[in-house]
Amino acid sequence: MKTRGTLGIWLQFLGMGVIWGSSFLFMKVALEGVGFGQVAWSRLVLGGIVLGVIVLIMRPRIDGGPVLPRDPAVWLHFVVIAISGCVVPFLLFAWAEQYVSSSLASIYNAVTPITTAIMATAVFRVEKLARDQVLGVIIGVVGVVVIIGPWAYAAITGDLWGQFACLGSAISYGFTFGYTRRFLSGRPIAGATFAFINIGIGGVIMLLLTPIVAVGPVALDWPVTLSLIALGALGTGVVYIWNINVLRAWGPTNASTVTYVTPVVGVVLGVLVLGETFSWHEPVGALLVFLGILLTQKRLRVFAPPAPASIPSR
């Protein structure tokens, strides 16, 4: 049973990477027919509806408890992560892809483990960084600077602001991973219910913001429509159940390594489907970010681990 559970978590993890990696392509295609606010609005509203139907049918419970939490404080925590993990990054990424390629946006998403390590350690104190992990954070930050390529800009441009927006999304995701681990992941809430409350509150917030973010011209065709459905039903619906399951099984820093997979998928689709290209510094910076992630996730060591304390003989 334990092996099956482990295999199931791995499959959910890989599924997250493939679908979330594809989401950068879907956003780019959707932006051809709707505004960036409408992209984010559609993701959260459709995702909330899909997850609501799943919860209504499954009625998931943990140890015979209620389907929905009854503690008001829990709902306030969900409002926080709905804003920081859904509303803000979805708007930022959709806005950014008006100015940067889907491939570059997916690369910036890979910065999430670095921001997660910083947030989980310095802000929420649910993890502690060793020397290798500190080095990984530093290298990751250098990688981000290389990706941005500040030497290439004589003035502030839409492309530069788009990159900052992508970086803001990664920081927002890192905050959400740490906050969830600190205040919510240990509570007896089923994964489907957890995802529904998270996305559902985000959808409600978007509905309240409809006059601001979702009003504007719409030109729907099949590619745009299918991209919006895929973003909502899959990328912001079913996959969020998998995300909660992986987060609980592996912890925030390891769960955020789904961004090993998403940029590979995002870059491949961007190049093959949209014909996107890179400047030299973008893949170089991405390699530095991945090196930083390997160190942050303890998958690569530079410093020798501390020797175990010796037990004095008697």
Side-chain angles (χ1 to χ4, degrees):
M1 183 65 68
K2 184 176 180 180
T3 301
R4 289 181 60 189
T6 301
L7 177 60
I9 291 298
W10 269 106
L11 290 176
Q12 291 174 70
F13 174 79
L14 293 175
M16 286 162 52
V18 172
I19 294 176
W20 277 344
S22 304
S23 68
F24 297 94
L25 170 66
F26 295 145
M27 279 189 281
K28 199 71 168 180
V29 173
L31 285 168
E32 296 178 1
V34 298
F36 78 92
Q38 294 165 327
V39 171
W41 187 96
S42 300
R43 290 187 69 174
L44 281 168
V45 173
L46 290 176
I49 292 172
V50 168
L51 290 169
V53 171
I54 292 174
V55 170
L56 184 64
I57 294 173
M58 294 177 55
R59 306 290 294 176
R61 303 172 186 270
I62 292 184
D63 297 329
V67 175
L68 298 176
R70 297 172 179 172
D71 184 353
V74 172
W75 289 90
L76 291 176
H77 289 313
F78 271 111
V79 170
V80 173
I81 66 170
I83 295 172
S84 67
C86 300
V87 175
V88 171
F90 288 4
L91 284 170
L92 286 176
F93 264 131
W95 182 85
E97 285 207 33
Q98 298 176 114
Y99 305 101
V100 302
S101 68
S102 65
S103 302
L104 185 57
S106 69
I107 289 175
Y108 271 106
N109 192 54
V111 180
T112 300
I114 303 296
T115 61
T116 298
I118 295 172
M119 292 292 179
T121 303
V123 178
F124 299 108
R125 300 185 182 278
V126 293
E127 295 182 357
K128 185 177 180 180
L129 297 184
R131 288 185 296 175
D132 283 320
Q133 293 174 296
V134 173
L135 177 62
V137 169
I138 295 172
I139 292 176
V141 171
V142 172
V144 170
V145 174
V146 174
I147 294 172
I148 294 173
W151 57 84
Y153 296 95
I156 299 294
T157 65
D159 174 76
L160 183 59
W161 279 117
Q163 294 191 64
F164 286 155
C166 291
L167 184 58
S169 296
I171 293 172
S172 189
Y173 283 142
F175 173 90
T176 303
F177 272 110
Y179 191 97
T180 301
R181 178 61 179 272
R182 176 68 177 82
F183 296 107
L184 287 170
S185 64
R187 296 180 182 271
I189 306 172
T193 304
F194 198 111
F196 164 62
I197 298 173
N198 185 18
I199 301 302
I201 291 177
V204 170
I205 293 172
M206 279 301 194
L207 287 172
L208 295 174
L209 293 176
T210 297
I212 300 174
V213 302
V215 174
V218 174
L220 295 179
D221 55 19
W222 280 112
V224 171
T225 301
L226 292 176
S227 293
L228 290 173
I229 292 174
L231 280 169
L234 293 178
T236 319
V238 176
V239 175
Y240 268 76
I241 299 176
W242 302 346
N243 178 53
I244 296 302
N245 293 338
V246 174
L247 176 63
R248 283 175 162 166
W250 290 357
T253 302
N254 286 332
S256 68
T257 58
V258 67
T259 48
Y260 288 144
V261 183
T262 54
V264 175
V265 175
V267 167
V268 169
L269 290 177
V271 171
L272 294 181
V273 179
L274 301 176
E276 296 174 346
T277 58
F278 294 101
S279 299
W280 67 268
H281 59 90
E282 293 166 356
V284 170
L287 289 175
L288 288 173
V289 168
F290 280 119
L291 176 59
I293 294 172
L294 290 173
L295 288 165
T296 304
Q297 301 302 320
K298 301 180 181 179
R299 288 166 172 79
L300 182 66
R301 289 188 178 276
V302 174
F303 300 101
S310 60
I311 300 176
S313 59
R314 293 185 178 178

